[in-house]
Amino acid sequence: MSLRLGDTAPDFKAKTSIGELSFHDYLGDSWGVLFSHPADYTPVCTTELGRTAQLKDEFARRNVKVLALSVDPLDKHHGWINDINETQHTTVDFPIIADEDRNVATLYDMIHPNASATATVRSLFIIGPDKKLKLSFTYPASTGRNFTEVLRVIDSLQLTAEHSVATPADWQHGEDVIVVPSVSTDDAKAKYGDDLKIVKPYLRYVPQPKKK
Ligand code: BEZ
């Protein structure tokens, strides 16, 4: 069965491009992004892993550790990392899991047999410091993911974990946010005063709270 939001992200031990690791221990108190790609030495995947490496400081600023995965072996990962670094003008130093026995792919339901019997699809999981699944999505092999969007949703997840707010469509860091329905308008007025903008009784905006 596939993982659902709020489930504990399954722990595993795996061989990776930076050595063997235990997933939960590796994450420690950080947030995690675990994402699969169909295969090494493929063009879209090369751009995806390159983009992820380019965004290293952005992930670090948000206390996020990133791990990639395919079912290719370690020697292939190492050779391909050189190509990614060369062609994407970056340095891949996050771990790439060599999931040859499909242990992780099975735990996270990353192989969708009607898409490919053997290759992992483009699954992505965001895991909180409590090891619970906060968000997941799946793209087909033909469509590269938007890693700026991954950072945007991490901003939303981290903000909404700390404050009783939600983020509207297309929200970007720094823009107004929505007071969640479980907070009464009286309580919202008491908390936010003149900053509260009531558009409808159920649609109430406040400036983005500061991160704690
Ligand atoms: C790619 O990464 O470019 C790719 C991989 C599998 C199928 C199609 C594209």
Side-chain angles (χ1 to χ4, degrees), residues 56-64 155 158 173 211:
K56 173 183 174 167
D57 292 347
E58 294 297 326
F59 285 110
R61 228 159 41 81
R62 292 164 174 83
N63 189 29
V64 178
D155 284 340
Q158 293 185 339
H173 183 77
K211 260 188 164 180

Side-chain angles (χ1 to χ4, degrees), residues 62 152 154-156 158-160 162-163 165-168 171-179 192 195 197 205-212:
R62 292 164 174 83
R152 190 192 75 88
I154 290 169
D155 284 340
S156 173
Q158 293 185 339
L159 182 73
T160 59
E162 286 181 2
H163 300 277
V165 298
T167 58
W171 173 84
Q172 296 288 344
H173 183 77
E175 293 179 356
D176 286 356
V177 299
I178 285 171
V179 179
Y192 298 109
D195 282 341
K197 285 181 237 156
Y205 290 90
V206 289
Q208 179 185 317
K210 297 261 176 298
K211 260 188 164 180
K212 282 177 193 156

Side-chain angles (χ1 to χ4, degrees), residues 1-126:
M1 192 169 65
S2 58
L3 270 183
R4 292 177 291 199
L5 299 187
D7 289 354
T8 298
D11 198 12
F12 56 83
K13 287 188 185 356
K15 283 184 296 175
T16 85
S17 53
I18 63 162
E20 289 212 1
L21 58 77
S22 291
F23 184 49
H24 285 191
D25 288 348
Y26 179 73
L27 290 182
D29 295 330
S30 301
W31 289 67
V33 171
L34 172 66
F35 69 107
S36 56
H37 59 273
D40 296 359
Y41 292 105
T42 50
V44 176
C45 302
T46 299
T47 62
E48 286 195 326
L49 272 72
R51 185 67 186 133
T52 304
Q54 290 165 2
L55 293 170
K56 173 183 174 167
D57 292 347
E58 294 297 326
F59 285 110
R61 228 159 41 81
R62 292 164 174 83
N63 189 29
V64 178
K65 289 186 178 168
V66 173
L67 301 93
L69 173 148
S70 80
V71 297
D72 289 313
L74 264 189
D75 58 336
K76 232 176 161 182
H77 284 354
H78 285 301
W80 182 45
I81 285 169
N82 293 332
D83 279 9
I84 300 170
N85 293 345
E86 177 196 328
T87 62
Q88 309 304 302
H89 313 290
T90 191
T91 303
V92 171
D93 56 12
F94 55 84
I96 307 178
I97 296 167
D99 194 34
E100 286 175 274
D101 62 4
R102 296 171 171 65
N103 174 42
V104 183
T106 303
L107 283 172
Y108 284 79
D109 198 25
M110 292 164 164
I111 294 180
H112 297 197
N114 290 323
S116 165
T118 51
T120 42
V121 290
R122 298 190 196 281
S123 300
L124 186 145
F125 301 88
I126 301 180

